[in-house]
Amino acid sequence: SGVIYPRFVWNVSSLAGFRLLEETGSDCFKIIAMQFPGRRKKLIGSSQNDLYDHCLQFYGQPPLENISLTEFETFAVERLKLLKTVENLGVSYVKNSDPYTKKMEAEFSSLNFPLKTELDDRKIQGGTSEYDKRRKDHISHFILRLAYCQTEDLRRWFIQQEMDLFRFRFGYLPPRHKTDFLHKNNLKYETVSAEEKKSLKDKLIASSYGLSGITLEEYDFYKVPFQDALDLVRTRKVYLLAGNAYIPHHEIITIVLNDFRTRLSKALAVTARSLPAVQSDERLQPLLSHLSHAYVGQDYSIQKNIGKISLEQIDPLSGKSFPLCMRHLHKALRENHHLRHGGRMQYGLFLKGIGLTLEQALQFWRSEFVKGKVDADKFDKAYAYSVRHMFGKEGKRTDYTPYSCMKVILSNPPSQGDYHGCPFRHSDPELLKQKLQNYKVSPSGINQ
Amino acid sequence: MPTSDYDPACLPDLLPLYYRRLFPFSQYYRWLSYGGVSKNYFQNREFSFTLKDDIYVRYQSFTTQNELEKEMQKMVPYKIDIGAVYSHRPSQHNAVKSGTFQALEKELVFDIDMTDYDDVRRCCSAADICSKCWTLMTIAIRILDRALREDFGFHHLLWVYSGRRGVHCWVCDEAARKLSVAARSAVAEYLSLVKGGEETVRKVVLSDPIHPFINHSLSVVERYFRQYAIVDQDILGSKESVDKVLAVLTVHIKKELMVNYQDEKNPMKRWDRLCALVEHKKSGSKKGGQYFDKEIMLQYCYPRLDVNVSKGVNHLLKSPFSVHPKTGRISVPIDLKELNTFDPFEVPTISLICEELERPRADEAEEDDMKDKENEQEAGERRRIRDFKRTSLAKYVKVFDRFLEAMARSRKGEMLKNSDLQKDF
């Protein structure tokens, strides 16, 4: 934004949210953590070296230092970029596959986030040291908490991406470092010794899927108090002995992630309660607001375009300006004079988003359905309700927002007879190619 | 042993006597105080009483053993239930700010009720039990006791006869008392194998790999199955019963067996035939159904527990040593060492033990081996201790004592361990 902010002091003294104190000096604000009754935890490892001695962390302790507003902003924006990459890669590639891993590594490298297990790298040729990367990881996480704690949607998105990020980083660790990490964070997951594994061999094989005698020797098993593995206990997917669940390596991540999610969820709730104070700082407010909108882009929930489109415009616009999925749906509707529920929802909400009014929508759907097998009466009885529902005029009267790309890609995959979904995700690549050629997309575009 | 005939109409006269001279208050208080390790543990415990004319009162709590005795002698409850340990004294729960009064801890409990097996027992139904179907309780206790100890690592289990048609298990370990709702429900589900109601024909479905817990349970069931199911329950005797058993099988196994059963009438041989056929088909079958014989055994014998009873931290369950108003039997602890000879019809009724009180004493032994240092011995109490000793209740109180001793030893062991750790600098 070009404005130079004076340095401000961010001083945190316990595990909690943030509270703004009165102005103390010329242009400084002091932000001091709120104490929560009865939950003061002792700060562990106050020396700087201890703090970042592992490349991965649970973000239990807020940062304890001063940072400049520039760093505040840069760190936050870069972490956001990282999280968006995590989201995109998770959609485009199978998690933990080679391309996924390579691309993640590249992003970590270009954005300077920590991945290496050793702390001192000797070749610091003007690049960022591992220590600094870890510090950035730490601080940026906490800043984004401020931006993403406010609504259920934001929280959900943030937790999901942070979990995927954590899953990637934990999986990336060599085995010994995994165990170190668990121990350092007081997770009582001890590895099962080779002798014990051997003595329990048949039992372990009989209680976990996909294990053979051979893989048993290769796999690490962890002993976890059964209370920490309830999902596995409930479904009897794990061996229990003397109150401990014996968990194969690939399942331990599930447990660690559950733990991570629970902690983060609680922390966000706490942060949200103390947010009003932070938001009243005029310097932080615009930045935090910008950060939280970045993930969703434009806010289509507010109807800015009502009445700006006429029914006659839909056909030409579908060829010119509609995204491929909507063009596809429109075409199917015109040809079949019908769309199933998934298609009606996806396309109907889109039409609302581009400006169709309820009256126009009713007219549009009805005229099309009537050309098919549905007579006017049936339309009014069965389908009209659903259109009104989309506009928030029926049922619990939620004014539904059009689906984002993420939602279209990830939820409700189409089956036989459906036309909804994302062609780039759900269509056969050859068919997609042909279609794009028909639509006169350039060869280089198609390759992309 | 002759059991005095019990008549529910006598309860109003028998109960006061029971609570004055027979109910083991000292042991009861010792149990629920758990060594006094947690402050106010006994004081914050909820009891509920069912009084005469079915008046039900909740949120009863008491500050001392003495108060408990006095109140029970005054109110003369027909039924006593034990609930959770709350954040505040239950009797004062209305004075507490709403939302802050919460159930904190309770024993992990299980309730096995014979009526849940009505679809698979032919000898009795509903509230009736007999020595034939009591085997089901024996099987249930063996399976659950093993699993709770070996799989879950619990040590202090109190099994109690409910007084009519089932058994209860109270898991009293500290870890058990602190379990969350989710954890209790997970334990109960781990222990559940028989699923489905009226509509479900095949209530047990097994597939590879078979979990060690299921194998352990099967080996218990197998020990009892032939005598219990084939002989006592005669499940392969009548046509109706055979149909039911075979209903879970695939069509062609069933057909083959029906043909065979036309000639073969001996139930044991019929069962052998069934097992052989399933075994034979096993090597050929691609889908599940390789374990039909095991599934049948489990469906007829495996414990059926009510998850809802075990799930809730605040769930109230009948107290040990309370009287069952319909049968008059005392809810007594079961000695697992004598499980094979436990006979619910030998359990003393309140009429019997009250009558035994009146009998002249056979010997005037003065030994007082209830040197319980934690409680002050008053003359009245000493007398009461000797009182139940000359009734049939005595041996059951002894079982309870041994249970309490084991917990006390365990607590002592914990304390020593902790103090040892502290001595290390």
Side-chain angles (χ1 to χ4, degrees):
Chain A
S1 60
V3 179
I4 317 282
Y5 291 99
R7 190 164 250 257
F8 76 98
V9 175
W10 174 4
N11 187 340
V12 172
S13 71
S14 91
L15 243 195
F18 303 90
R19 182 180 59 155
L20 206 57
L21 278 194
E22 330 75 64
E23 236 175 294
T24 52
S26 43
D27 292 309
C28 286
F29 285 102
K30 244 199 172 111
I31 302 181
I32 293 191
M34 258 207 264
Q35 285 186 28
F36 279 79
R39 288 211 63 224
R40 258 221 105 133
K41 275 197 192 163
K42 276 197 300 227
L43 296 175
I44 26 165
S46 46
S47 86
Q48 286 201 322
N49 280 334
D50 277 357
L51 195 53
Y52 297 133
D53 68 349
H54 203 287
C55 77
L56 186 59
Q57 62 161 298
F58 260 124
Y59 311 106
Q61 304 288 344
L64 277 169
E65 52 171 297
N66 305 337
I67 68 168
S68 70
L69 202 55
T70 330
E71 238 180 357
F72 188 93
E73 187 161 4
T74 322
F75 280 5
V77 166
E78 294 193 340
R79 188 181 193 86
L80 190 56
K81 281 193 190 148
L82 181 65
L83 291 186
K84 286 180 77 62
T85 304
V86 166
E87 184 182 36
N88 288 329
L89 289 181
V91 164
S92 320
Y93 299 98
V94 173
K95 287 191 184 132
N96 296 323
S97 64
D98 276 342
Y100 179 87
T101 308
K102 291 227 161 23
K103 288 199 184 264
M104 287 286 263
E105 282 171 344
E107 192 73 1
F108 269 72
S109 180
S110 78
L111 290 172
N112 284 318
F113 277 95
L115 209 50
K116 295 214 190 84
T117 49
E118 284 71 48
L119 190 49
D120 28 33
D121 32 359
R122 286 137 219 197
K123 1 178 193 146
I124 311 176
Q125 312 148 328
T128 327
S129 71
E130 272 311 302
Y131 179 87
D132 285 336
K133 291 184 188 181
R134 294 177 188 185
R135 178 179 165 266
K136 172 164 141 175
D137 173 47
H138 185 204
I139 294 174
S140 62
H141 171 88
F142 275 86
I143 299 173
L144 287 191
R145 279 194 194 181
L146 293 175
Y148 281 84
C149 65
Q150 299 178 59
T151 70
E152 195 53 49
D153 274 348
L154 289 173
R155 287 204 280 252
R156 200 177 307 138
W157 183 86
F158 182 65
I159 291 176
Q160 183 60 51
Q161 308 324 317
E162 285 283 344
M163 274 178 65
D164 284 346
L165 178 65
F166 186 91
R167 184 188 288 119
F168 170 72
R169 291 166 71 186
F170 185 80
Y172 200 79
L173 292 173
R176 186 175 68 79
H177 288 82
K178 281 192 175 86
T179 320
D180 274 349
F181 174 76
L182 296 175
H183 284 187
K184 188 174 170 278
N185 284 279
N186 289 322
L187 295 171
K188 301 185 217 73
Y189 309 155
E190 12 166 325
T191 22
V192 175
S193 70
E195 303 92 62
E196 197 180 359
K197 248 200 301 187
K198 206 161 165 200
S199 71
L200 295 174
K201 182 166 148 183
D202 294 327
K203 308 240 163 89
L204 292 175
I205 294 178
S207 30
S208 319
Y209 281 117
L211 276 186
S212 66
I214 311 161
T215 53
L216 192 78
E217 283 178 32
E218 297 171 359
Y219 274 24
D220 272 338
F221 267 77
Y222 294 86
K223 240 197 266 198
V224 166
F226 84 86
Q227 292 92 329
D228 293 342
L230 291 181
D231 285 334
L232 294 173
V233 170
R234 179 193 313 276
T235 50
R236 225 180 289 118
K237 287 208 169 88
V238 72
Y239 179 63
L240 281 190
L241 186 63
N244 286 316
Y246 284 66
I247 305 189
H249 178 74
H250 57 275
E251 304 266 22
I252 199 78
I253 183 65
T254 319
I255 296 186
V256 176
L257 278 177
N258 272 339
D259 196 288
F260 182 78
R261 190 215 335 250
T262 313
R263 293 187 197 203
L264 186 52
S265 189
K266 280 196 190 131
L268 285 179
V270 163
T271 311
R273 286 202 283 274
S274 15
L275 200 58
V278 178
Q279 281 180 324
S280 64
D281 180 347
E282 287 159 7
R283 293 156 203 177
L284 296 184
Q285 170 51 17
L287 174 64
L288 293 179
S289 166
H290 164 72
L291 283 174
S292 65
H293 282 131
Y295 97 95
V296 83
Q298 278 246 44
D299 187 0
Y300 291 104
S301 62
I302 305 161
Q303 287 289 67
K304 295 185 213 122
N305 300 317
I306 306 176
K308 293 212 181 119
I309 186 170
S310 76
L311 289 178
E312 298 78 40
Q313 286 176 292
I314 294 185
D315 276 322
L317 276 176
S318 77
K320 229 174 14 158
S321 315
F322 279 14
L324 190 59
C325 57
M326 300 305 172
R327 184 172 177 178
H328 188 53
L329 278 164
H330 180 75
K331 185 148 177 276
L333 177 63
R334 286 283 189 231
E335 278 174 14
N336 304 322
H337 309 298
H338 188 269
L339 274 182
R340 284 193 183 168
H341 182 258
R344 292 201 301 275
M345 289 304 287
Q346 188 173 321
Y347 190 39
L349 287 173
F350 171 77
L351 290 174
K352 182 174 85 148
I354 63 172
L356 228 58
T357 63
L358 174 57
E359 292 67 36
Q360 287 175 309
L362 282 169
Q363 200 183 339
F364 173 75
W365 289 100
R366 190 193 226 210
S367 68
E368 203 50 59
F369 271 51
V370 154
K371 284 184 206 151
K373 296 187 202 145
V374 178
D375 64 48
D377 269 345
K378 182 164 182 209
F379 179 84
D380 286 335
K381 277 191 208 142
Y383 297 98
Y385 177 91
S386 128
V387 178
R388 285 199 301 277
H389 199 280
M390 270 187 245
F391 279 77
K393 299 281 182 265
E394 298 281 2
K396 63 178 184 190
R397 292 172 205 258
T398 314
D399 201 1
Y400 292 93
T401 51
Y403 296 166
S404 66
C405 278
M406 278 302 153
K407 181 157 181 178
V408 171
I409 293 172
L410 292 175
S411 49
N412 194 19
S415 18
Q416 195 60 23
D418 285 325
Y419 293 94
H420 63 262
C422 172
F424 298 105
R425 160 74 132 188
H426 298 124
S427 292
D428 177 62
E430 276 311 307
L431 288 179
L432 180 61
K433 213 174 177 177
Q434 277 176 25
K435 189 179 289 186
L436 290 174
Q437 281 168 341
N438 281 341
Y439 291 158
K440 309 216 174 11
V441 176
S442 74
S444 60
I446 296 181
N447 283 335
Q448 188 189 55
Chain B
M1 199 212 292
T3 315
S4 258
D5 285 339
Y6 167 73
D7 178 7
C10 297
L11 264 187
D13 299 315
L14 297 171
L15 281 173
L17 189 58
Y18 179 64
Y19 292 131
R20 252 193 7 254
R21 293 176 62 189
L22 292 165
F23 188 94
F25 283 106
S26 165
Q27 287 85 345
Y28 197 69
Y29 178 79
R30 189 177 168 203
W31 170 35
L32 295 173
S33 306
Y34 286 97
V37 170
S38 284
K39 245 180 80 163
N40 291 325
Y41 211 68
F42 182 81
Q43 290 72 10
N44 290 346
R45 171 79 70 166
E46 182 193 357
F47 296 86
S48 77
F49 292 156
T50 306
L51 309 175
K52 199 162 70 142
D53 300 325
D54 273 336
I55 298 173
Y56 182 66
V57 289
R58 266 193 78 172
Y59 300 113
Q60 305 299 298
S61 61
F62 313 98
T63 40
T64 59
Q65 176 184 330
N66 211 21
E67 194 190 322
L68 173 74
E69 286 182 38
K70 295 261 175 340
E71 286 303 306
M72 277 174 65
Q73 283 154 8
K74 193 167 76 181
M75 296 171 89
V76 191
Y78 277 43
K79 287 197 242 184
I80 306 168
D81 289 342
I82 300 179
V85 176
Y86 282 81
S87 51
H88 306 77
R89 291 190 191 175
S91 57
Q92 297 169 347
H93 73 285
N94 286 319
V96 176
K97 195 166 79 168
S98 99
T100 32
F101 179 70
Q102 292 184 17
L104 298 179
E105 296 188 13
K106 192 177 68 73
E107 294 74 10
L108 172 64
V109 294
F110 297 93
D111 180 352
I112 319 285
D113 188 330
M114 201 71 89
T115 47
D116 292 338
Y117 294 79
D118 279 356
D119 61 312
V120 290
R121 56 174 182 148
R122 307 177 62 220
C123 50
C124 312
S125 70
D128 299 326
I129 59 168
C130 69
S131 54
K132 285 189 186 159
C133 50
W134 185 257
T135 313
L136 288 171
M137 294 295 114
T138 309
I139 296 175
I141 295 176
R142 293 226 182 274
I143 290 179
L144 296 177
D145 194 74
R146 183 214 69 83
L148 289 166
R149 286 179 195 281
E150 290 177 17
D151 294 10
F152 288 98
F154 295 125
H155 302 289
H156 305 290
L157 277 63
L158 182 69
W159 286 95
V160 181
Y161 172 53
S162 75
R164 191 160 61 155
R165 61 188 193 219
V167 294
H168 301 155
C169 179
W170 295 76
V171 186
C172 301
D173 295 55
E174 193 184 337
R177 286 180 271 132
K178 292 179 148 67
L179 288 177
S180 65
V181 171
R184 286 162 206 262
S185 126
V187 174
E189 288 192 48
Y190 175 93
L191 298 171
S192 298
L193 275 182
V194 180
K195 308 223 165 113
E198 293 266 336
E199 307 298 303
T200 320
V201 172
R202 188 177 169 208
K203 295 191 164 78
V204 181
V205 179
L206 297 179
S207 53
D208 268 330
I210 299 212
H211 192 279
F213 164 75
I214 299 180
N215 275 325
H216 277 297
S217 308
L218 267 169
S219 59
V220 175
V221 169
E222 278 164 4
R223 284 207 319 259
Y224 293 89
F225 185 76
R226 282 166 184 265
Q227 181 60 42
Y228 164 73
I230 308 295
V231 177
D232 293 342
Q233 295 290 326
D234 196 26
I235 62 174
L236 289 178
S238 70
K239 177 175 186 328
E240 188 203 339
S241 187
V242 167
D243 280 344
K244 246 176 136 187
V245 175
L246 300 190
V248 310
L249 301 167
T250 56
V251 171
H252 30 263
I253 298 188
K254 201 177 354 192
K255 255 198 204 140
E256 255 193 76
L257 284 174
M258 292 306 289
V259 167
N260 173 269
Y261 288 3
Q262 294 215 332
D263 298 323
E264 183 56 78
K265 300 293 181 194
N266 179 315
M268 201 59 82
K269 292 217 163 67
R270 282 179 165 182
W271 174 249
D272 287 337
R273 180 92 196 165
L274 193 158
C275 294
L277 207 54
V278 169
E279 186 65 37
H280 177 69
K281 296 282 183 191
K282 191 177 177 163
S283 35
S285 84
K286 290 169 226 145
K287 320 184 263 177
Q290 341 154 294
Y291 297 116
F292 280 129
D293 52 340
K294 299 195 202 287
E295 289 175 6
I296 291 173
M297 284 196 279
L298 292 173
Q299 182 155 336
Y300 276 80
C301 299
Y302 185 85
R304 299 168 178 215
L305 33 100
D306 185 350
V307 177
N308 290 316
V309 168
S310 310
K311 228 170 44 172
V313 178
N314 52 5
H315 189 98
L316 292 145
L317 186 66
K318 187 162 198 275
S319 168
F321 295 107
S322 65
V323 183
H324 196 297
K326 296 212 172 76
T327 62
R329 305 223 186 253
I330 313 289
S331 285
V332 293
I334 299 176
D335 185 358
L336 258 58
K337 290 200 217 85
E338 313 278 315
L339 184 58
N340 286 332
T341 51
F342 181 84
D343 181 358
F345 298 101
E346 290 295 299
V347 170
T349 60
I350 189 176
S351 357
L352 175 69
I353 56 181
C354 284
E355 193 209 280
E356 285 171 335
L357 260 186
E358 305 307 317
R359 290 192 206 140
R361 289 169 50 169
D363 63 25
E364 296 278 349
E366 285 291 315
E367 51 171 305
D368 187 12
D369 57 23
M370 293 312 292
K371 283 245 179 335
D372 190 341
K373 294 193 175 80
E374 289 175 293
N375 291 312
E376 273 185 283
Q377 304 257 341
E378 295 162 353
E381 195 176 303
R382 230 176 274 130
R383 195 189 325 123
R384 195 185 312 113
I385 288 164
R386 270 181 262 146
D387 277 352
F388 71 62
K389 269 188 162 187
R390 37 189 178 108
T391 69
S392 309
L393 197 59
K395 77 171 190 184
Y396 299 100
V397 179
K398 258 213 186 90
V399 176
F400 195 45
D401 279 331
R402 285 201 289 272
F403 167 74
L404 295 173
E405 270 307 307
M407 282 211 292
R409 272 199 306 274
S410 170
R411 275 195 295 270
K412 199 163 162 197
E414 272 301 307
M415 284 197 318
L416 279 177
K417 205 168 51 163
N418 287 336
S419 70
D420 273 350
L421 288 172
Q422 281 166 9
K423 286 197 186 111
D424 274 49
F425 290 120

